[in-house]
Amino acid sequence: MKDTSSGDHRQLLLIDDDPNLILLVKDYLEFRGYEVITAGNGREALEVLERNLPDMIICDIMMPEMDGYAFVQKVRGDSRTNWIPVLFLSAKGQSADRVKGLNTGADVYMVKPFEPEELVAQVESSLKAASRLIQHNTRTGDGQPKIQVAFDVELTPTELKVIQFVARGMANREIAEELNVSQRTIESHVSNMLGKTGLHNRTELARWAIESGMA
């Protein structure tokens, strides 16, 4: 049975040139409730980022065409993507390698082979930290440009309740318990709001709710 208690349908971008690792990590993260999109190298990943803004990036370092270092430098240099947390997965485990990875712009550095549970824990920790930073920057007026949504978007009373809980960092499961409905119902409301607003993920919904005074 699929475990949806952790990922809560957050979208992750997984980048690695090893198809076996991609398959294993993707399956494990999807089992934990995450939506996972993949790329084989940094150049492919940049093309993905033109269409999607994931909640987090998990990236190998040594890859053909564009390695992890060059990719992360591109991510950190773009205001659309510089807020996205990045986790490096690398077979290079020396202290100097870790320092270089973190100095390049990664938030977390994990060495292969790794325990899947540790990867999930690092992902969850990074997503929570990013959510706190986004809320702080939104309230202080620093950091990212404001979320752009059409002025005539109308939410139903229930959607307004849901987006307020999303802005507080609550998972779909927790919101469902609060409103005494099924988790699937909350997922449907979130999906409807993403469709109405043209936003890409829950993080952007939360920012929009805070910036527009709904939360």
Side-chain angles (χ1 to χ4, degrees):
M1 184 177 178
K2 190 173 183 177
D3 177 2
T4 59
S5 62
S6 298
D8 203 46
H9 299 280
R10 297 288 188 98
Q11 187 182 78
L12 310 178
L13 172 56
L14 174 62
I15 313 160
D16 201 295
D17 62 330
D18 181 348
N20 292 324
L21 185 137
I22 284 274
L23 184 63
L24 288 172
V25 175
K26 184 174 187 290
D27 282 353
Y28 192 83
L29 290 170
E30 287 181 341
F31 176 75
R32 295 301 297 264
Y34 293 97
E35 178 187 348
V36 182
I37 50 180
T38 63
N41 58 58
R43 197 169 302 283
E44 285 183 19
L46 289 177
E47 293 174 3
V48 171
L49 290 177
E50 290 295 319
R51 305 185 301 272
N52 295 278
L53 284 179
D55 294 288
M56 184 169 180
I57 295 168
I58 301 172
C59 184
D60 187 22
I61 292 180
M62 305 307 294
M63 297 179 292
E65 294 192 48
M66 179 183 287
D67 66 16
Y69 297 130
F71 169 72
V72 170
Q73 287 175 338
K74 293 277 191 183
V75 168
R76 291 293 178 247
D78 186 337
S79 61
R80 287 180 64 252
T81 58
N82 61 12
W83 58 271
I84 302 174
V86 175
L87 185 154
F88 266 152
L89 284 178
S90 176
K92 302 173 72 174
Q94 297 296 316
S95 177
D97 298 318
R98 294 174 182 269
V99 169
K100 182 177 180 180
L102 296 172
N103 285 342
T104 299
D107 300 280
V108 182
Y109 192 107
M110 289 185 64
V111 179
K112 303 174 185 177
F114 53 88
E115 290 294 331
E117 286 297 327
E118 183 185 358
L119 175 62
V120 170
Q122 292 283 13
V123 167
E124 291 175 358
S125 176
S126 296
L127 289 171
K128 288 176 182 176
S131 179
R132 288 194 298 269
L133 181 62
I134 287 167
Q135 291 189 36
H136 171 75
N137 286 346
T138 302
R139 289 179 177 132
T140 59
D142 299 330
Q144 311 161 57
K146 278 197 165 188
I147 289 285
Q148 299 297 318
V149 171
F151 71 92
D152 57 348
V153 170
E154 292 187 7
L155 302 183
T156 67
T158 303
E159 287 170 347
L160 281 170
K161 290 180 183 177
V162 171
I163 200 170
Q164 288 167 1
F165 287 127
V166 169
R168 286 163 55 183
M170 294 174 65
N172 287 346
R173 171 178 47 80
E174 296 170 319
I175 300 172
E177 292 171 358
E178 189 75 24
L179 298 180
N180 197 29
V181 296
S182 71
Q183 182 172 325
R184 188 176 296 275
T185 297
I186 300 302
E187 291 167 0
S188 177
H189 285 309
V190 171
S191 178
N192 287 341
M193 287 189 286
L194 290 174
K196 287 181 178 181
T197 60
L199 299 176
H200 297 85
N201 49 48
R202 285 169 54 94
T203 301
E204 290 190 351
L205 274 179
R207 284 181 56 204
W208 177 55
I210 294 167
E211 290 172 2
S212 58
M214 287 183 285

